[in-house]
Amino acid sequence: MTKRFEHHNVFVAGGTSGINLGIAVAFANAGARVAVLGRDEGRVAVALERLRATGGDVQGHAGDVRDAPRIAEVLSQVRCEWGLRRSGAALLSITAAQSWLPMAAQAHVCAAKAGIDQLTRTLALEWGPHGVRVNAIAPGPIEDTEGMRRMAHSEASRAAWTRAVPLRRFGSTADIAGAALWLCSAEAGYVTGAVVPVDGGVAPAGAGVLTQAMTQ
């Protein structure tokens, strides 16, 4: 892979498993210095082992994103070692289709993800004059993630989810990582305030199809 993110610093909260670890590995493979944060020290250690295999400069930190003083401490450590403040930064969030597709028994998810979407758009307005772009990715059903292991817990439910996706397959963490690399790259330098579905067509399929899949 081309080292197109060489000399860039990347911080991935929740970067010790699933989609976010896939994003962290992709950035490391692309030449970035990558720091990950996770709540569990054991998972941090495992993630670091995988990241070090890329041959890049990596860091791992234990902490909870709800603990603001700890996050400030970790970011200060990263900044002291690598530097973080410069023009052209990009912030990327992970949201979900529930932010715009209402689903029964998913009120908490719908509300939380809608909040992420609106925060993305608002910060894009506020931080744009400072050279900071803010975007989000809305993944569909992604293979080998905790969420899909819970929702596609049987062969019947897995088949129902597959039928619900217009592309008729689960996505991969590499699918999400590819979108993340593009959104944080110079090629997307005029993109901000966007919520990008990477879902195999789940969004246009609609809430009814997804709700049916979730009840199998």
Side-chain angles (χ1 to χ4, degrees):
M1 181 182 289
T2 303
K3 302 293 184 181
R4 56 178 170 149
F5 282 94
E6 195 171 9
H7 307 305
H8 286 70
N9 303 325
V10 175
F11 180 82
V12 185
T16 59
S17 63
I19 286 172
N20 285 5
L21 177 56
I23 290 172
V25 170
F27 273 108
N29 279 325
R33 293 179 289 250
V34 178
V36 295
L37 174 83
R39 288 180 295 177
D40 184 272
E41 291 187 3
R43 284 193 172 188
V44 172
V46 172
L48 269 178
E49 184 176 352
R50 183 172 172 188
L51 287 165
R52 287 184 179 125
T54 68
D57 194 355
V58 299
Q59 298 182 33
H61 301 272
D64 192 318
V65 293
R66 296 169 294 185
D67 184 350
R70 175 57 179 160
I71 299 306
E73 179 185 11
V74 169
L75 288 174
S76 179
Q77 291 175 21
V78 174
R79 188 181 303 121
C80 285
E81 185 164 342
W82 292 343
L84 273 170
R85 296 185 181 275
R86 66 180 183 180
S87 182
L91 174 66
L92 184 64
S93 296
I94 301 298
T95 180
Q98 286 97 324
S99 65
W100 65 88
L101 293 177
M103 295 183 188
Q106 292 285 301
H108 58 303
V109 178
C110 295
K113 299 305 183 181
I116 291 174
D117 288 9
Q118 201 68 334
L119 183 64
T120 295
R121 299 182 185 104
T122 302
L123 292 182
L125 294 177
E126 293 182 3
W127 294 358
H130 302 286
V132 179
R133 297 185 301 106
V134 186
N135 295 293
I137 292 174
I142 303 300
E143 194 77 71
D144 293 327
T145 59
E146 182 63 28
M148 288 316 298
R149 280 191 287 272
R150 292 180 181 180
M151 289 189 284
H153 50 80
S154 66
E155 286 302 317
S157 61
R158 185 179 177 86
W161 272 101
T162 303
R163 289 193 302 271
V165 180
L167 287 184
R168 296 296 189 269
R169 68 172 180 88
F170 283 18
S172 68
T173 56
D175 291 319
I176 307 304
L181 289 174
W182 178 74
L183 281 169
C184 293
S185 73
E187 287 83 358
Y190 206 52
V191 179
T192 193
V195 177
V196 181
V198 184
D199 62 4
V202 163
V209 174
L210 291 183
T211 300
Q212 187 176 21
M214 293 176 69
T215 57
Q216 295 300 310

